Amino acid sequence: MASFTSSSVLLSLFITLSLLHFSSARKLAESEQPLQFQYHKGPLLTGKISVNLIWYGKFKPSQRAIIADFVTSLSSPRPTTAQPSVATWWKATEKYYNLVNKKTSSPKLALSLGSQILDENYSLGKSLTTNQILRLASKGPQRNAINVVLTSADVAVEGFCSSRCGTHGSSLGARVNGKRYKFAYIWVGNSETQCPGQCAWPFHQPIYGPQNPPLVAPNSDVGLDGMVINVASLLAGTVTNPFGNGYYQGPKEAPLEAASACTGVYGKGAYPGYAGDLLVDPTTGSSYNANGVNGRKYLVPALFDPKTSSCSTLL
């Protein structure tokens, strides 16, 4: 596992992740001691879960396709996708389930792309609060779902850039047959113009720290490729700690989760200001570490391996 000291805290600015239950973002581990994740006895997401995308603001169809293809890539059959793949990366989350479900027969988690809802007319304005994000998330299907709110580059969101690039949480949904079910949701903002140096690194020059040249974005869109990184991180945190009592390390109010425990790590040899040894497309010069459907290439974060207590990468 890569070890981090307090001097690497600056990386938390690039992809700061926090639960929507909580108001503060967790810094990188400030100790060189191995991280020790704990299971807090709460449920993980299981069974067939649809990932519904709620687009708030102006997004081009080509931009929406980048995220939609990424979600589809999570469950793409291995034979149809070049390796290393997004599906192989996502399979690493099964280690959490294997530890929890040794003596149970809980259905295996299976994510799929669900509904896509467009709100191009800014129904709640261009400056959103945390509660308004929840209102938007509630527009999607709420049973067996993760609703992902994606805000466009011209939308300001409470805490965006100043303390976070995205969040995840849960809420009680509408009554179904007399019962109310919890549903999980995520918010990620497009940082193309507001704070690319924080939330779209390493595809943009960082605002602090080592000023290495930015990498070329694999889908030629700094904002959307940055969003993919945050969506990926938050999906991993959502399924393994959906309700704040699953897998995490540290205090409940500011937990380190499956991906946020490895912030800024994308390949072997990563260190503050350097994403790691990545693949480079010979035609475009773009950097990536995972292949997706429709010939897509993506950069996905390292995931914490609960068995080895280390950050595991595809490369």
Side-chain angles (χ1 to χ4, degrees):
M1 167 189 176
S3 296
F4 302 100
T5 67
S6 57
S7 64
S8 65
V9 173
L10 60 94
L11 280 179
S12 65
L13 291 172
F14 301 148
I15 311 170
T16 306
L17 306 172
S18 65
L19 285 178
L20 206 48
H21 298 105
F22 315 121
S23 61
S24 61
R26 177 73 176 178
K27 294 180 179 179
L28 285 180
E30 296 185 354
S31 168
E32 294 188 358
Q33 296 300 315
L35 293 173
Q36 296 297 327
F37 265 46
Q38 290 182 315
Y39 175 50
H40 296 81
K41 308 302 181 183
L44 311 187
L45 292 188
T46 57
K48 296 181 179 180
I49 302 291
S50 62
V51 179
N52 305 300
L53 305 179
I54 301 166
W55 300 93
Y56 188 83
K58 304 296 185 184
F59 287 93
K60 299 175 183 178
S62 59
Q63 292 179 314
R64 296 198 297 269
I66 292 172
I67 302 291
D69 282 351
F70 175 74
V71 174
T72 300
S73 298
L74 294 170
S75 56
S76 174
R78 182 171 180 172
T80 63
T81 306
Q83 295 298 316
S85 70
V86 173
T88 301
W89 169 80
W90 183 251
K91 192 174 178 64
T93 61
E94 292 182 3
K95 295 180 181 180
Y96 290 86
Y97 287 80
N98 293 338
L99 291 175
V100 173
N101 298 325
K102 287 181 178 179
K103 298 181 180 180
T104 67
S105 57
S106 298
K108 186 178 179 181
L109 174 68
L111 296 185
S112 63
L113 179 63
S115 304
Q116 295 197 58
I117 298 171
L118 305 185
D119 188 336
E120 298 179 291
N121 296 319
Y122 306 91
S123 63
L124 299 178
K126 292 188 175 182
S127 182
L128 304 179
T129 65
T130 295
N131 287 337
Q132 288 174 316
I133 291 293
L134 175 55
R135 284 176 58 187
L136 290 172
S138 299
K139 289 185 176 183
Q142 296 174 4
R143 191 173 181 187
N144 299 323
I146 301 173
N147 292 339
V148 183
V149 178
L150 302 157
T151 52
S152 59
D154 57 348
V155 175
V157 177
E158 181 181 357
F160 188 28
C161 296
S162 64
S163 64
R164 60 193 182 183
C165 305
T167 55
H168 82 82
S170 64
S171 179
L172 284 173
R175 290 187 179 276
V176 179
N177 297 325
K179 294 183 178 181
R180 297 185 71 183
Y181 298 88
K182 277 187 176 182
F183 74 96
Y185 60 93
I186 289 170
W187 159 72
V188 172
N190 184 347
S191 65
E192 177 185 5
T193 57
Q194 296 186 54
C195 53
Q198 292 167 258
C199 298
W201 184 85
F203 301 126
H204 190 278
Q205 200 80 12
I207 59 174
Y208 302 115
Q211 296 296 301
N212 294 325
L215 304 180
V216 177
N219 294 286
S220 302
D221 191 313
V222 169
L224 268 292
D225 278 299
M227 291 182 82
V228 167
I229 293 172
N230 289 297
V231 168
S233 299
L234 288 163
L235 279 172
T238 296
V239 302
T240 56
N241 186 31
F243 309 122
N245 54 3
Y247 263 107
Y248 64 87
Q249 189 260 353
K252 183 177 181 180
E253 293 75 19
L256 286 171
E257 298 179 313
S260 59
C262 301
T263 301
V265 180
Y266 300 95
K268 291 181 180 178
Y271 55 82
Y274 177 63
D277 300 331
L278 304 175
L279 298 173
V280 177
D281 186 290
T283 302
T284 65
S286 63
S287 296
Y288 68 100
N289 61 4
N291 293 280
V293 300
N294 297 324
R296 295 280 187 190
K297 292 175 172 44
Y298 295 105
L299 187 67
V300 294
L303 294 179
F304 183 79
D305 187 328
K307 291 187 176 180
T308 63
S309 295
S310 64
C311 292
S312 178
T313 64
L314 286 170
L315 301 176

